[in-house]
């Protein structure tokens, strides 16, 4: 499963001692070929971690052979030394694997503003390389966890080829991605420009529409590596759809494991004038702290939904807005609708439908509730 | 004090039975003249409560004689019936005071999407009118409280004239104002256009820069009434500065009483290319849930400050950003600065300074931390 579900990949996950508690913290993913095509999508935060700057650079060739990922430190806001450390990480992996440093992407996650313990990280790469296996995908997925309570993997197989992947992320999920590290692999034979196209199409409607707490990370990285090991080249749409399905699956797992969450909230905006309007309204609803608290309290407080819609620039008339919570239209024409006591909010998944009555476009944003556990998890220690 | 500190005003605050717990919920403020000049600033939320729509309309004349304010219900998202109820409220006050309904502003605060109990509100206006007094300002300030733990008033006196006021608000504080009801009064003789100018100048740098939880209300209303009772017309700058001081004082009280807050956070952005950049960066920092949790935990997590700055479009270079927390420059040139253990965060007030190294402009945004108490207060019952 995970990154080794597709043929032509090996992976490992080990404890290098970057995390003080001794749990796994270093993952290595290697494309054994015959192809090395790759694509990546990175955070849109203008403050980018050293590994993001490095990986964006090496991906310009459209090829990657290996990815080193570490938890236990983001290597963000660490200045020139931080960039040198990322470079040294790639050099070390290249040396061990007998390839060039320009074929190695690096991804890091953890606390911002702290240098990585290179005296432990570099020997860890030797250890990981020695442990590389065609069955190492799960171990790799485990090694990239931070506050994640479970590791996340997904696989879609079609007509002889496979797309699989792993993800980590639980806190900073937001548009423009999140402290989300994702590595996807495929054994289809797809050229780099087509990988890039499929990946951008997929992230635009999946990871980019997952918004846990409105906070955007410095480290978001989503990589897609193709080994071509099956020799099969699927039609673009089939391939893109498989990538989208894996991203969607992983994105849902991220929201399902969001810090302190007790509810997963599907915000669907319908009858918008444009898709951009639908996304803007969906994000505004998904980021409204008062609403997220109300959902936590199982309170179908539609007034907070309208209040959030009202802050956007989307096309709508206030007296034509309709809102349903779990299918009950509690707000009709901008005013009181069906009895809010009819709304059943006992279950973990909650659906908020906002009907803008302004067109035919729609979008879905996934978020979660705001809980005292979230506050505790993000105030009790640095992360 | 409060709205009756200035000469030429009477006020009252009584329990009309709008709130089920029997506490005061209806306030009346009357300008006894000789002048009736007035100005107002309202929420920029496109979903506006009925009283906001009404008050914006009556203020077009530049004159007001009375303001009716109620807590216990926002009368927002209540459709045509809600607007009729606001109209009936103004008509009732006009009848009791012997004036026209077009001279009466209405402001409401409380739960969205619920019609007001007019059978209790209208008799409450008789009761309030009978209780009007030159000493009624405190009672009026008490009657507009919702989740406020204390009532808020402020007064500035200069050279024989006075500006005073009252405010309520604790939850929805955000740019474009907040569920903030504010009535300011003055006994200076100032014409409506000058009142309007002074009020807009004042709110732009005070209430508009108070951001408790990023949520913008449907009901924000700030009114300024001038009686001209002293016969004095101060220089515009002197008057505007007095209005700004009262607004600043009330704004600080709002943040000080924000729901569940344990810290008041002064976000100062310096050396920005433009004031707009400084405000955008300040708001982004003030709205970052992860940072607000960290401050609650007394953790000087400057990485979350940089991460928030990085989401803006302001002019800056990541490697020239500096951040101080309570005066300790924990981040220099986008990387690790002074020892974070030097930061003393034991006190209620916390100052975050973000130096963009991009110009000479600056701005201050006030916010508060995110706490489990905030979650509890906004999830345990509808508000």
């Amino acid at each position: 499963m995970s990154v080794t579900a597709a043929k032509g990949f090996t992976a490992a996950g080990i404890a290098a001692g970057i995390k003080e508690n001794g749990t796994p913290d270093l993952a290595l993913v290697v494309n054994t070929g015959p192809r090395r095509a790759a694509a990546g999508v990175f955070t849109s935060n203008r403050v980018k971690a050293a590994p993001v700057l490095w990986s964006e650079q090496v991906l310009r060739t459209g090829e990657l052979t290996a990815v080193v990922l570490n938890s236990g430190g983001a290597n963000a806001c660490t200045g020139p030394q931080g960039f040198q450390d990322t470079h040294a990480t790639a050099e070390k992996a290249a040396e061990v694997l007998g390839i060039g440093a320009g074929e190695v992407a690096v991804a890091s996650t953890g606390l911002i503003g702290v240098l990585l313990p290179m005296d432990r990280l570099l020997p860890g790469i030797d250890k990981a390389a020695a442990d590389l296996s065609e069955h190492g995908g799960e171990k790799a997925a485990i090694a990239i966890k931070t506050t994640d309570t479970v590791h996340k993997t997904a696989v879609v197989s079609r007509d002889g080829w496979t797309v699989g992947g792993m993800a980590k992320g639980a806190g900073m999920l937001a548009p423009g991605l999140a402290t989300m590290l994702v590595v996807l692999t495929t054994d289809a034979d797809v050229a780099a420009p087509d990988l890039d196209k499929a990946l951008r199409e997929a992230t635009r409607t999946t990871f980019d529409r997952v918004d846990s707490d409105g906070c955007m990370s410095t480290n978001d990285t989503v990589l897609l590596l193709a080994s071509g090991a099956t020799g099969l080249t699927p039609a673009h749409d089939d391939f893109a759809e498989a990538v989208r399905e894996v991203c969607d699956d992983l994105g849902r797992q991220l929201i399902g494991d969001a810090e302190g969450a007790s509810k997963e909230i599907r915000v669907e905006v319908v009858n918008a004038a444009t898709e951009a309007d639908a996304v803007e309204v969906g994000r505004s609803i998904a980021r409204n702290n008062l609403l997220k608290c109300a959902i936590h309290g199982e309170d179908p407080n539609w007034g907070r939904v309208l209040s959030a819609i009202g802050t956007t620039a989307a096309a709508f008339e206030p007296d034509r807005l309709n809102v349903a919570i779990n299918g009950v239209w509690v707000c009709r024409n901008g005013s009181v609708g069906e009895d809010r006591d009819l709304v059943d909010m006992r279950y973990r998944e909650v659906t908020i439908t906002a009907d803008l009555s302004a067109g035919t476009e729609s979008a879905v944003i996934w978020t979660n509730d705001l809980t005292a556990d979230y506050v505790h998890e993000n105030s009790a220690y640095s992360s």
Side-chain angles (χ1 to χ4, degrees), chain A:
Chain A
M1 307 297 284
S2 176
V3 288
T4 48
K7 295 184 191 76
F9 291 92
T10 57
I14 59 105
I18 305 167
K19 286 182 183 167
E20 291 188 357
N21 64 6
T23 53
D25 50 21
L26 189 76
L28 184 59
V29 180
V30 177
N31 182 349
T32 59
R35 307 277 181 228
R36 303 282 189 272
V41 175
F42 300 91
T43 183
S44 51
N45 198 309
R46 291 169 60 202
V47 176
K48 294 182 205 299
V52 168
L53 295 171
W54 170 265
S55 297
E56 280 183 330
Q57 194 173 308
V58 298
L59 255 176
R60 289 196 192 136
T61 61
E63 294 207 334
L64 278 183
T65 303
V67 186
V68 182
L69 307 97
N70 75 273
S71 52
N75 198 9
C77 307
T78 43
Q81 184 61 50
F83 193 81
Q84 283 175 36
D85 288 347
T86 289
H87 190 178
T89 301
E91 289 280 6
K92 173 69 179 180
E95 178 199 319
V96 173
L97 299 170
I99 57 176
E103 299 172 62
V104 182
V106 180
S108 301
T109 178
L111 187 61
I112 298 176
V114 180
L115 288 168
L116 290 170
M118 297 304 289
D119 58 330
R120 279 169 264 165
L121 195 152
L122 295 180
I125 292 174
D126 284 312
K127 192 173 164 189
D131 204 41
L132 281 168
S133 147
E134 288 175 7
H135 308 289
E138 296 292 322
K139 281 188 179 176
I142 290 167
I144 59 175
K145 285 169 57 187
T146 53
T147 56
D148 306 65
T149 64
V150 293
H151 64 286
K152 289 118 184 159
T153 66
V155 175
V156 167
S157 289
R158 296 268 166 81
D159 304 327
W161 51 272
T162 291
V163 178
M166 64 180 184
K168 71 75 46 180
M172 274 187 167
L173 304 182
L177 306 182
T179 287
M180 175 189 309
L181 302 186
V182 178
V183 180
L184 306 174
T185 58
T186 183
D187 46 22
D189 187 0
V190 182
D194 295 323
L195 286 181
D196 187 71
K197 185 158 179 266
L199 186 61
R200 286 180 194 280
E201 286 169 0
T203 56
R204 189 178 74 81
T205 59
T206 57
F207 295 127
D208 271 354
R209 295 188 184 174
V210 161
D211 192 331
S212 169
D213 59 8
C215 300
M216 189 199 294
S217 156
T218 50
N219 286 58
D220 306 322
T221 301
V222 182
L223 299 172
L224 171 56
L225 283 65
S227 70
T230 61
L232 299 168
T233 301
H236 178 78
D237 288 353
D238 290 346
F239 180 69
E241 174 57 20
V243 173
R244 197 200 63 76
E245 282 180 29
V246 172
C247 290
D248 190 49
D249 188 339
L250 292 171
R252 287 294 312 282
Q253 291 182 52
L254 294 176
I255 277 291
D257 194 26
E259 287 176 347
S262 73
K263 301 283 187 191
E264 292 163 47
I265 308 171
R266 177 185 164 90
V267 180
E268 39 179 48
V269 182
V270 301
N271 299 324
T274 64
E275 187 183 2
D277 273 6
V279 171
E280 182 189 356
V281 168
R283 282 188 184 156
S284 179
I285 295 170
R287 289 181 171 188
N288 189 284
N289 278 351
L290 285 170
L291 176 64
K292 287 155 79 94
C293 286
I295 300 299
H296 177 52
E298 304 189 345
D299 169 16
N301 197 320
W302 58 268
R304 293 177 181 175
V305 179
L306 257 67
S307 175
I309 298 172
T311 65
T312 71
F316 70 82
E317 293 301 324
D319 59 0
R320 295 192 65 203
L321 294 172
N322 304 305
V323 174
I325 299 179
N326 284 349
V328 179
W329 290 93
V330 285
C331 169
R332 287 215 186 262
N333 299 317
S335 181
V336 188
E338 292 176 43
D339 185 354
R340 42 174 280 154
D341 290 343
L342 297 174
V343 182
D344 183 353
M345 296 186 70
R346 288 172 299 174
Y347 301 100
R348 186 173 173 95
E349 194 171 314
V350 174
T351 298
I352 297 173
T353 311
D355 172 6
L356 303 188
S357 306
T360 57
E361 298 297 320
S362 63
V364 171
I365 304 283
W366 280 95
T367 187
N368 47 261
D369 56 345
L370 178 57
T371 70
D373 286 348
Y374 173 87
V375 174
H376 177 74
E377 195 157 342
N378 287 295
S379 62
Y381 53 85
S382 273
S383 65

